[in-house]
Amino acid sequence: MIHWRPVSGFVGDVIPFSHAERIWLFYLLDERPGDPTDGASGMPWALVSTTDFVHFTDHGVVLQAGDRDAEDFDCYTGSVVTDGSRLHLFYTGHNPRRGDADGAFQVVCHAVSDGDPTEWTKLPAHTFGAPAGYMPQDWRDPFVYRTAPDEPWQMVLAARYTDSPARRRGVVARLTSTDLEQWELADPLWEPHRFITQECPDVFRWGDWWYLVYSEFTDAFQTRYRIARGPDGPWLAPRRDTVDGRAFYAAKSVEHAGRRFFIGWIPTKQGDCDAGSWQWAGDLAVLEARQEDDGTLAFGLPAEILAAFSDAEQVKLAAVDGAATKPGEGAVDRYAAWIGDPVPERCLITVRADVEAGTQAFGVLLHAGADGEDGTVVRLEPQRGRIVLDRWPRGRTGPAQWQVDGDVPYAVELERACPLPPGVHTVQVLLDGTTGQVVVDDRVALSFRRYEPGACRPGLFATDGGFTLASLTVAR
């Protein structure tokens, strides 16, 4: 299983940490209890580790949730750092029973380890809440880092001002410390005046660029990032400012062996149904970042994951509905599709195609019916410069032929800007049961979930244009 999930529960926010030649993936263990105020246990941190994102060691719960009345009844997102002698874990404490009429308070908590990432001692005397001017209900996701080895430690948090328009109160608050115990309020790192808040902040330097990564749920549920020439900003939007789409949330990054990985989670859907609402937590997923000259990040699947699918073979395609015998036999002024035989539900599909100028749309069919009518659609739209995920059948509002969700042209949460000039493009699709990840040209990623796929039959299609197929392979 590439998209890892514990046997019991689901993966929430992931806190990655590189240590002792392994990547330690702390995560919020969502066991989906009932009403959190009914005396049930709170949310702990669990841990899984890996060296390749293919093989995982499950260490179970490593930071227990507090008792019923504790400030850390729920242990929410944070970060892990080392000062050279000890490991330090900072996390958000939350208790739905503690707060006021506006909601439960959130506090920053601290734990330490002598070097074993599976053993932690909490230091409740170091707990602190929001200072004056900040809402005590939103003081979370502490991320600790240094701008240089001899500089003070910095902590940034997802916070909100008490006095400003509610939808634009979000601020990346900042504190400094020389000992990781006492923290002093500093100027905010970023005040965008745009979001409810910016969850799970993450700051790092890569070459000549600094990066601020955050997840927001104001315009869309997405992980975004900003770039700057210095650690204090100004924080500017790159050409493509998102990591993925709706189905890869709360991604945080880690540098390991000179490479930068982003780890998030692919959410489940209510009722295990494609029409269900997105839920919090799901399956772990990873993308590797590559830095472009202007600071923009490109995202693809790590080489180790690609190498895990080594048994590749060409897919034989059959034209459907009167299409040309094979792709590339002239441009088309219609929809044309070609369907292959079923493949395993866990596989890597790779397409290389030379796309003609003026093509309106082309892409990959997944879980397609024998006639290409139904399926999951990975649609690349060169004229709009984007990739979207669609599915058929869509919902219906009634029995008449026109009572179809035709005014919902694709899964609106699953859209990414993607440069698609005429020429050769590569599309990789990793299928792992109900989860999937699409990567175009090792640059743009789009994760998704599909519960009702039918037979796992791949295919290709084009609309008003065409492409010449170089290869279509499936690797097990």
Side-chain angles (χ1 to χ4, degrees), residues 372-419:
E373 179 73 2
D374 297 336
T376 307
V377 183
V378 178
R379 188 166 68 241
L380 286 70
E381 301 179 345
Q383 295 176 355
R384 295 182 172 91
R386 70 182 182 186
I387 172 178
V388 304
L389 192 99
D390 200 355
R391 64 181 176 91
W392 286 93
R394 294 177 182 160
R396 299 191 66 88
T397 59
Q401 64 181 23
W402 53 269
Q403 290 177 309
V404 62
D405 284 342
D407 55 352
V408 183
Y410 53 88
V412 294
E413 314 99 326
L414 301 180
E415 172 194 10
R416 298 291 321 284
C418 183

Side-chain angles (χ1 to χ4, degrees), residues 32 267-280 449 451-452:
R32 297 199 175 160
T268 54
K269 284 195 164 188
Q270 192 170 16
D272 292 345
C273 170
D274 288 329
S277 299
W278 294 108
Q279 295 176 302
W280 191 87
R449 188 179 289 276
Y451 283 107
E452 303 151 18

Side-chain angles (χ1 to χ4, degrees), residues 71-401:
E71 290 182 296
D72 66 345
F73 173 80
D74 292 311
C75 300
Y76 287 160
T77 307
S79 58
V80 178
V81 297
T82 179
D83 63 4
S85 59
R86 292 195 300 179
L87 305 181
H88 295 260
L89 186 156
F90 295 90
Y91 64 103
T92 305
H94 168 270
N95 190 324
R97 304 172 192 86
R98 299 171 68 102
D100 58 23
D102 293 322
F105 296 158
Q106 295 178 341
V107 294
V108 173
C109 303
H110 186 194
V112 293
S113 167
D114 288 335
D116 183 350
T118 69
E119 296 288 340
W120 296 93
T121 300
K122 294 181 180 181
L123 303 175
H126 295 175
T127 298
F128 65 92
Y134 292 90
M135 296 184 65
Q137 295 85 3
D138 287 283
W139 187 249
R140 65 177 178 274
D141 306 342
F143 180 83
V144 175
Y145 64 103
R146 266 179 164 161
T147 59
D150 57 346
E151 291 292 324
W153 294 95
Q154 299 201 32
M155 176 188 292
V156 291
L157 301 107
R160 301 184 75 204
Y161 286 136
T162 54
D163 246 348
S164 56
R167 186 169 54 85
R168 301 196 298 274
R169 288 182 184 177
V171 58
V172 180
R174 178 166 52 171
L175 304 96
T176 61
S177 174
T178 58
D179 60 6
L180 294 172
E181 295 182 4
Q182 301 298 318
W183 293 90
E184 295 184 2
L185 188 64
D187 291 337
L189 185 66
W190 189 42
E191 299 177 84
H193 297 277
R194 176 180 172 184
F195 304 122
I196 295 171
T197 192
Q198 305 78 215
E199 296 188 300
C200 303
D202 181 359
V203 180
F204 62 89
R205 182 180 184 178
W206 192 348
D208 295 331
W209 293 98
W210 284 84
Y211 292 82
L212 168 60
V213 183
Y214 61 96
S215 293
E216 58 96 359
F217 46 81
T218 307
D219 299 338
F221 274 84
Q222 279 187 293
T223 302
R224 301 180 182 270
Y225 68 98
R226 293 292 184 264
I227 60 177
R229 287 298 191 180
D232 298 318
W235 298 101
L236 307 176
R239 286 180 293 128
R240 299 182 306 276
D241 74 335
T242 55
V243 175
D244 199 314
R246 172 65 176 88
F248 188 84
Y249 194 64
K252 294 173 75 70
S253 76
V254 63
E255 188 275 331
H256 182 75
R259 300 159 69 185
R260 176 68 57 174
F261 300 97
F262 280 68
I263 302 95
W265 42 268
I266 299 177
T268 54
K269 284 195 164 188
Q270 192 170 16
D272 292 345
C273 170
D274 288 329
S277 299
W278 294 108
Q279 295 176 302
W280 191 87
D283 300 62
L284 184 149
V286 61
L287 294 168
E288 183 172 357
R290 176 172 52 84
Q291 189 182 52
E292 299 182 351
D293 290 341
D294 65 354
T296 301
L297 297 180
F299 295 93
L301 296 169
E304 293 85 347
I305 290 180
L306 298 177
F309 297 90
S310 57
D311 185 12
E313 61 182 34
Q314 291 286 334
V315 176
K316 296 180 180 179
L317 296 172
V320 297
D321 193 25
T325 303
K326 60 181 181 179
E329 295 184 343
V332 296
D333 60 356
R334 49 160 285 179
Y335 175 85
W338 301 265
I339 307 298
D341 292 330
V343 298
E345 66 173 10
R346 288 184 169 84
C347 66
L348 177 69
I349 298 169
T350 304
V351 180
R352 292 188 71 251
D354 190 348
V355 182
E356 299 176 8
T359 297
Q360 185 184 74
F362 71 100
V364 185
L365 299 173
L366 308 168
H367 320 118
D371 59 1
E373 179 73 2
D374 297 336
T376 307
V377 183
V378 178
R379 188 166 68 241
L380 286 70
E381 301 179 345
Q383 295 176 355
R384 295 182 172 91
R386 70 182 182 186
I387 172 178
V388 304
L389 192 99
D390 200 355
R391 64 181 176 91
W392 286 93
R394 294 177 182 160
R396 299 191 66 88
T397 59
Q401 64 181 23

Side-chain angles (χ1 to χ4, degrees), residues 434-459:
T434 66
T435 57
Q437 288 177 282
V438 180
V439 173
V440 179
D441 295 333
D442 202 30
R443 173 181 286 176
V444 177
L446 182 65
S447 301
F448 66 93
R449 188 179 289 276
R450 186 75 200 268
Y451 283 107
E452 303 151 18
C456 197
R457 185 182 282 110

